[in-house]
């Protein structure tokens, strides 16, 4: 069976859920080989658990902070060594840039933002603000595919996890820009918006009071999102904005509260698997899109819903 390279998404060696999703998808295509670029011991056990047959460990001591160019070189050299049948990369801004650079280096086709990859290598993407669903396939070289978070449910399957150190040669050209300082954003205790399985959002209809939205989000272990109207009003920072000029999310469940459903908001959430809306106007366009809709005041509906959820959990 052919190797499928999976670039590991991790924070200080802690493997993120997106990696488990990619390993799950990789198993449809061949034998997953995880590529860990980082310091210290590679998280072999965590990667084995989701089916990694091999783990290539690349020490990043020399390239740490040098943005994406060295990572593209590492993957290009690994691709030359093992001739993989495909390379899967998380669809973050960084991942997409690595994919683009890698595609040039190994003269291969690249597909970004896939929401599914079939065992034939055919990908599914949602394009033009979600108005079209497209199937595509790389026709030249080694398919390089960036996959969006939540595109597969991670499946635990034991892999061999054979560890191999890989020493890449990084060119001076890949080290021309370096991060000199970085501070992590203050943790909210909630999941990352683009990776969360459930997103609860609030719009202008909250009137600026997100208490009920946040309480519902916490009862569901969800991330909090916001419409642009809420962000422009200064109720939430831009990092919370869902939509065309904000973040694009594709969770299992999206709950829109006091959001009218403008096309630019839909562009960021309409590929969500199940959509629920609470809006006091039964004519609100968001109701054209929903699986479940509640016509009512969010300040009444959400506390009742949160209470019911907490009771069931208890
Ligand atoms: C170039 C461009 C890019 C844009 N990008 C984005 C983007 O990325 N994301 C985005 O969201 N928008 C974006 N917009 C803005 C978009 O067009 C809408 O203006 C915006 O989404 C409206 O936000 P909203 O639904 O919160 O507010 P509104 O449209 O004002 O809707 C508020 C809704 O709340 C309901 N409501 C009021 N009170 C209650 C209550 N107590 N309980 C329940 N329901 C209540 C109302 O019935 C109404 O439907 C963009 C616009 C442009 C032109």
């Amino acid at each position: 069976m052919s190797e499928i390279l999976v670039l590991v998404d991790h924070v200080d060696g802690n493997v993120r859920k997106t990696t488990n999703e990619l390993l799950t998808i990789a198993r449809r295509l061949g034998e997953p080989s995880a590529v860990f670029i980082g310091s210290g011991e590679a998280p072999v056990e965590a990667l084995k658990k989701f089916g990694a047959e091999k783990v290539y460990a690349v020490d990043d001591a020399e390239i740490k902070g040098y943005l994406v160019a060295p990572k593209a070189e590492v993957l290009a050299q690994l691709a030359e060594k093992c001739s993989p049948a495909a390379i899967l990369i998380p669809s973050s801004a960084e991942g997409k840039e690595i994919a683009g650079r890698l595609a040039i280096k190994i003269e291969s086709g690249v597909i970004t933002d896939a929401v599914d990859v079939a065992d034939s290598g055919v990908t599914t993407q949602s394009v033009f603000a979600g108005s079209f669903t497209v199937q595509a396939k790389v026709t030249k070289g080694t398919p390089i595919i960036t996959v969006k978070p939540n595109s597969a449910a991670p499946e635990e399957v034991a892999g061999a996890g054979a560890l191999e150190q890989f020493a890449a040669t990084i060119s001076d050209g890949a080290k021309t820009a370096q991060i000199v300082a970085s501070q992590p954003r203050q943790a909210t205790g909630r999941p990352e918006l683009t990776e969360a399985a459930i997103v609860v959002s609030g719009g202008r209809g909250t009137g600026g009071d997100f208490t009920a939205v946040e309480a519902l989000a916490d009862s569901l272990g969800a991330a909090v999102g916001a419409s642009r109207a809420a962000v422009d009003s200064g109720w939430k920072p831009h990092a919370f904005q869902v939509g065309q000029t904000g973040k694009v999310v594709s969770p299992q469940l999206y709950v829109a509260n006091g959001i009218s459903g403008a096309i630019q908001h839909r562009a960021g959430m309409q590929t969500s698997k199940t959509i629920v809306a609470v809006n006091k106007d039964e004519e609100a366009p968001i109701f054209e899109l929903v699986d479940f809709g509640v016509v009512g005041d969010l300040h009444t509906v959400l506390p009742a819903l949160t209470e019911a959820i907490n009771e069931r959990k208890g």
Side-chain angles (χ1 to χ4, degrees), residues 202-207 226-232 235 238 241-247 254 256-268 278-287 294-301:
R204 203 195 308 270
T206 60
S227 71
R228 177 156 159 186
V231 169
D232 285 352
W235 301 337
H238 183 257
Q241 186 176 316
V242 172
Q244 187 182 318
T245 43
K247 291 189 173 146
Y254 187 86
N257 304 289
I259 293 177
S260 59
I263 182 74
Q264 297 89 352
H265 187 79
R266 291 176 184 213
V278 179
N279 196 301
K280 67 179 188 188
D281 175 9
E282 63 178 47
E283 309 262 302
I286 191 84
F287 285 132
V294 181
V295 179
D297 185 333
L298 68 92
H299 297 295
T300 314
V301 176

Side-chain angles (χ1 to χ4, degrees), residues 44 48 52-56 159-164:
V44 175
K48 257 168 88 165
E53 297 296 341
K54 271 192 199 164
V55 177
Y56 292 109
L163 179 63
E164 193 177 312

Side-chain angles (χ1 to χ4, degrees), residues 51-156:
E53 297 296 341
K54 271 192 199 164
V55 177
Y56 292 109
V58 183
D59 188 350
D60 73 349
E62 257 195 58
I63 57 174
K64 205 167 184 166
Y66 281 103
L67 304 173
V68 297
K71 292 182 182 168
E73 288 193 350
V74 167
L75 287 176
Q77 289 166 30
L78 260 174
E80 199 182 323
K81 169 183 143 71
C82 66
S83 307
I87 302 174
L88 304 184
I89 297 175
S91 228
S92 56
E94 174 177 293
K96 284 188 268 192
E97 193 178 336
I98 293 171
R101 286 171 179 267
L102 176 63
I104 303 270
K105 285 182 196 305
I106 63 172
E107 295 184 10
S108 294
V110 60
I111 290 176
T112 55
D113 285 337
V115 292
D116 196 14
V117 186
D119 53 10
S120 58
V122 172
T123 63
T124 303
Q125 289 155 284
S126 173
V127 300
F128 293 132
S131 351
F132 286 85
T133 299
V134 171
Q135 265 81 40
K137 190 168 182 178
V138 168
T139 54
K140 184 175 179 210
T142 307
I144 301 164
I145 303 168
T146 77
V147 183
K148 289 178 82 167
N150 293 313
S151 295
E155 286 164 22
E156 287 192 25

Side-chain angles (χ1 to χ4, degrees), residues 62-63 66 69-70 73 77 169-178:
E62 257 195 58
I63 57 174
Y66 281 103
E73 288 193 350
Q77 289 166 30
T169 314
I170 306 299
S171 69
D172 287 343
K175 295 186 186 172
T176 49
Q178 188 179 22

